Amino acid sequence: MASATFTVQQDTALTNSHISLNVAQTASLRSQLKSQRGILNSNNIKALCSQYAVSEDSLLQGLVPLASEFSVAPVSLFHVGAIVKALDENGDIHFYFGANVEFNHQALSLVVHAEQSAINNAWLNGAKKILKIAISDAPCGYCRQFMNELADAKEFDILLPNQQFTLAELLPHSFGPTDLGNEFSLFNPKPQLAKFNLDGLDETFARFALNAYVPYSQNFCAVKIVTFNDGDFYGSYAENAAYSPSLSPLQSALSQFFLAGLSFNESVVKGITLLETKGQENQAGVAKAVLASFSNLPALEIISAPLKE
Ligand code: THU
Ligand code: ZN
């Protein structure tokens, strides 16, 4: 078992039908993306559009190959990239990057797809309305189902390198939250009034757990990855009406971690903690399975906290 490393060449120029950057310009954008953890804000987007004389959507589609570089795909060596264009609560546009993450020597079904990674990045970091999702390859059936859980599922555009679709075109006669009597959706969750009843709980960690989208299991839960020198990374549980495409909190946090361009090993990672709702726990097994793909990591710490209204 080796620690996950990036296998894509990272000294290349970014040139495609939408945008053309030389090697130095591409390198600078790569390091900006790593330090900003896979997010470009509206000032960054405006500056890049004027610097490279491209429209916002050409920038969006042109940068998809850079998103693919954040992929960790030791099994398939197939690097998928996705970028969500979304508005925050002030109506400002952001680009949220995403890439697939695979786990060596574990079930293939544990993979995080690039579309999930980009949507998760947007969701965790304050996006309120998704406008477009640009992807390097056609979204698989599982990702179409994952996207069908979004509040904007009927509105946003799905951009492939040379085609554009709506989700209704890609997923006709769909199954979704309302089939289970759930009127809420990812990005439009049921207001959560309860709090964790446990003294000394890290407030940010508790907020990520309470922001989990868990209409089907009620297990408000999150994962925190603490690093020695690169800050903390959080992930929240995002459930799906079809169950299988749900994104576990560990997958959510790991996807955020890899968007910072870090390697998941014992010299970077100081601690990994799972916080679950007491009485509804269901994440320890899958978290351990994902972590078993890596060696020499600190042991997973698990906290179960009861909720109080
Ligand atoms: N993959 C995605 O990231 N998105 C898709 O919709 C198609 C498939 C990834 C999953 C896996 O890491 C690799 O591509 C091969 O299926
Ligand atoms: Zn997929």
Side-chain angles (χ1 to χ4, degrees):
M1 289 191 286
S3 71
T5 48
F6 299 92
T7 44
V8 176
Q9 282 290 326
Q10 304 226 346
D11 54 358
T12 50
L14 177 71
T15 304
N16 54 55
S17 60
H18 301 284
I19 198 169
S20 183
L21 273 60
N22 65 31
V23 171
Q25 291 165 332
T26 310
S28 132
L29 193 47
R30 251 180 220 123
S31 60
Q32 180 180 17
L33 281 170
K34 286 178 190 171
S35 67
Q36 297 182 190
R37 298 182 168 194
I39 300 177
L40 294 178
N41 65 30
S42 57
N43 286 336
N44 302 147
I45 294 166
K46 275 189 206 120
L48 290 166
C49 285
S50 78
Q51 188 179 356
Y52 299 119
V54 289
S55 70
E56 215 168 69
D57 282 350
S58 295
L59 184 70
L60 178 73
Q61 288 200 271
L63 296 185
V64 168
L66 269 194
S68 313
E69 291 186 7
F70 289 86
S71 152
V72 178
V75 181
S76 68
L77 307 180
F78 187 71
H79 303 281
V80 186
I83 309 175
V84 164
K85 173 180 169 178
L87 301 176
D88 68 9
E89 60 192 358
N90 302 316
D92 289 332
I93 285 182
H94 289 62
F95 287 178
Y96 300 93
F97 285 59
N100 57 328
V101 180
E102 298 174 353
F103 303 102
N104 240 337
H105 307 293
Q106 290 299 318
L108 295 182
S109 58
L110 294 174
V111 66
V112 179
H113 289 226
E115 297 86 330
Q116 290 182 299
S117 165
I119 291 165
N120 175 60
N121 189 13
W123 178 55
L124 295 176
N125 291 295
K128 295 295 173 223
K129 185 172 178 56
I130 293 186
L131 303 173
K132 299 187 181 199
I133 302 180
I135 321 170
S136 58
D137 298 271
C140 74
Y142 175 97
C143 286
R144 296 175 196 202
Q145 185 66 48
F146 188 79
M147 291 191 258
N148 201 37
E149 199 80 19
L150 298 172
D152 305 314
K154 294 196 168 51
E155 290 159 48
F156 57 75
D157 294 316
I158 298 168
L159 310 179
L160 302 186
N162 301 305
Q163 286 162 296
Q164 175 171 338
F165 299 97
T166 63
L167 188 59
E169 290 170 318
L170 297 181
L171 193 70
H173 312 291
S174 66
F175 178 81
T178 54
D179 290 302
L180 293 179
N182 171 22
E183 57 185 298
F184 296 97
S185 45
L186 197 57
F187 287 78
N188 175 35
K190 185 177 180 182
Q192 168 57 6
L193 301 171
K195 291 203 177 339
F196 283 111
N197 189 7
L198 191 72
D199 287 343
L201 201 58
D202 161 352
E203 246 178 67
T204 308
F205 198 8
R207 183 167 52 77
F208 275 93
L210 292 171
N211 284 344
Y213 171 72
V214 290
Y216 312 114
S217 80
Q218 313 303 322
N219 180 23
F220 292 90
C221 59
V223 162
K224 177 181 181 177
I225 300 171
V226 178
T227 69
F228 288 105
N229 297 310
D230 301 281
D232 301 336
F233 294 83
Y234 293 91
S236 302
Y237 188 21
E239 292 191 332
N240 185 277
Y243 287 19
S244 316
S246 302
L247 191 66
S248 77
L250 182 63
Q251 291 171 311
S252 168
L254 256 183
S255 163
Q256 290 295 105
F257 177 94
F258 284 126
L259 290 172
L262 300 172
S263 294
F264 198 60
N265 62 39
E266 74 277 17
S267 59
V268 179
V269 179
K270 190 174 170 192
I272 309 161
T273 311
L274 166 66
L275 167 60
E276 301 194 84
T277 300
K278 199 170 185 62
Q280 311 292 342
E281 299 94 333
N282 54 19
Q283 289 299 313
V286 71
K288 285 177 189 160
V290 168
L291 292 174
S293 182
F294 304 91
S295 40
N296 303 321
L297 285 172
L300 175 69
E301 189 192 333
I302 302 176
I303 304 170
S304 286
L307 287 178
K308 65 170 178 202
E309 292 298 322

